[in-house]
Amino acid sequence: MRNTVRERGDSEALLRRMAARRRRDNAIVAILAVLAVLGGGHALHDFFTPAPPGPSDDSTAALIGRAQLAGSFAGQFVVSYLSANTAQREKLSEYAAVGNVALPSSGRPVTDPAVVYVARTVSGGGLDVWSVTVSVRHGAKTGAAEGEPRQFYRVAVSTAAGRLRALAPPALVQPPARGADLSLAYGAPCGQETPLHQVATGFLAAMLAGSGDIARYTVPGSAIAAVQPAPFSAAEVTAVDSDDRSCGAESARARLSVQVNPKVDGAAAATLVYPLTLVRTGGQWQVASIDPIPALTEPLTVVTGGEPGAANPVPGSAAAATTTAQIPPPTQN
């Protein structure tokens, strides 16, 4: 009797396992059917293929190195090509197959080359193709060419195992267009009597002119040091604007835009503007950081006004009105 009961239990357990396996197999088949309908073979392949590894520090560094190599090569080619004459055609073949391009009898002087943009457009089989834009000035020498406007030339460069080649002669392209002005978050001017103005004044005088101990104005461990040797004989703060409307009277953190007029041996130098973050600890305001960029309004807002080169509109007129356009937040597809 015991054996009969045990055999019956084993049979029921086996049936349960078989039913569970059948349900699992049916679910897998259903998933594969859906993938086949939605994406075909690629979806099935992706379902069983693990995701490729992300970029590593080594691969990123190598990519940056190849970009710099392509940019340097393109700069040399643009200068050589634009300054070449008919007797230097063979020299240009070191960079590219120039074919029967026309060259002047006397080369045009080229100075002050600068690589302004590099982008990888094709990659595969150990070969990369880069689009490189180089700006130059045309003139007899650097001093004579300083007043000349820059011209921008684009050239395609292939790189493979350290070997470089331009795919065609350069093309003259438009210079970069004028960008947008973004709205800054500093909406409150802070007078000389405010703690924020006073701390910013003492901090910049110590950092730029060596006037006082900069540690008095910075938080411990900030790593902010005075410029040595002091580049200016004086640093006069002329304006302080903050995102804190109380200018330090009520808050414990504030971001500042500080305008300073430095002097060199009594002579005025160009105005500098410092974005700073200040914090209040123990009732005392101190500089926490010199920010890498100014504080921007959130959401980002484009400030639009008159066209470049247009006459200044009369204050208060319709032409003088400044409009803003909000930039929508990024979306993820």
Side-chain angles (χ1 to χ4, degrees):
M1 179 64 69
R2 289 180 181 177
N3 291 337
T4 303
V5 172
R6 184 181 301 110
E7 291 175 358
R8 183 181 303 166
D10 293 343
S11 299
E12 292 175 352
L14 178 61
L15 291 174
R16 286 195 298 269
R17 289 196 297 271
M18 292 175 64
R21 181 181 300 173
R22 187 179 299 108
R23 288 194 297 270
R24 183 189 63 194
D25 293 344
N26 290 340
I28 293 175
V29 170
I31 292 173
L32 294 178
V34 171
L35 290 175
V37 171
L38 294 179
H42 287 293
L44 295 175
H45 178 270
D46 294 342
F47 182 76
F48 291 106
T49 304
S56 65
D57 291 342
D58 291 341
S59 63
T60 300
L63 182 63
I64 294 173
R66 292 196 295 272
Q68 293 176 335
L69 187 63
S72 176
F73 178 85
Q76 296 173 19
F77 176 46
V78 168
V79 171
S80 297
Y81 185 84
L82 296 178
S83 60
N85 55 41
T86 53
Q88 297 173 315
R89 183 183 300 274
E90 187 65 26
K91 178 182 178 182
L92 295 178
S93 65
E94 299 176 4
Y95 297 95
V98 295
N100 295 322
V101 297
L103 294 173
S105 58
S106 177
R108 189 179 181 188
V110 176
T111 60
D112 200 15
V115 177
V116 297
Y117 184 77
V118 179
R120 187 173 65 169
T121 58
V122 176
S123 179
L127 185 145
D128 295 326
V129 179
W130 305 83
S131 175
V132 184
T133 303
V134 179
S135 73
V136 299
R137 296 185 194 273
H138 292 282
K141 56 183 180 180
T142 302
E146 286 180 353
E148 296 292 325
R150 281 190 170 273
Q151 292 186 338
F152 294 77
Y153 294 86
R154 182 180 298 150
V155 62
V157 175
S158 67
T159 61
R163 298 187 298 272
L164 299 99
R165 191 73 170 165
L167 304 186
L172 179 67
V173 295
Q174 286 282 354
R178 177 176 174 175
D181 293 322
L182 299 182
S183 175
L184 303 184
Y186 312 108
C190 301
Q192 296 181 0
E193 74 285 355
T194 63
L196 298 183
H197 194 293
Q198 294 167 4
V199 172
T201 298
F203 168 74
L204 289 174
M207 190 182 79
L208 299 176
S211 177
D213 183 7
I214 196 172
R216 291 180 51 194
Y217 305 100
T218 59
V219 299
S222 67
I224 301 175
V227 181
Q228 295 291 341
F232 304 113
S233 56
E236 177 188 4
V237 170
T238 58
V240 174
D241 296 294
S242 175
D243 66 342
D244 172 25
R245 296 193 175 277
S246 72
C247 287
E250 300 175 0
S251 64
R253 181 179 182 273
R255 295 178 296 179
L256 308 183
S257 174
V258 184
Q259 182 173 300
V260 56
N261 289 348
K263 294 183 178 180
V264 180
D265 297 330
T271 296
L272 304 176
V273 179
Y274 281 84
L276 305 176
T277 294
L278 275 64
V279 295
R280 180 166 59 180
T281 56
Q284 181 180 2
W285 281 99
Q286 293 178 307
V287 177
S289 65
I290 302 175
D291 301 329
I293 64 171
L296 303 172
T297 57
E298 296 180 3
L300 292 178
T301 303
V302 174
V303 180
T304 60
E307 291 295 327
N312 292 328
V314 178
S317 67
T322 299
T323 60
T324 60
Q326 289 188 350
I327 300 176
T331 58
Q332 182 175 359
N333 294 327

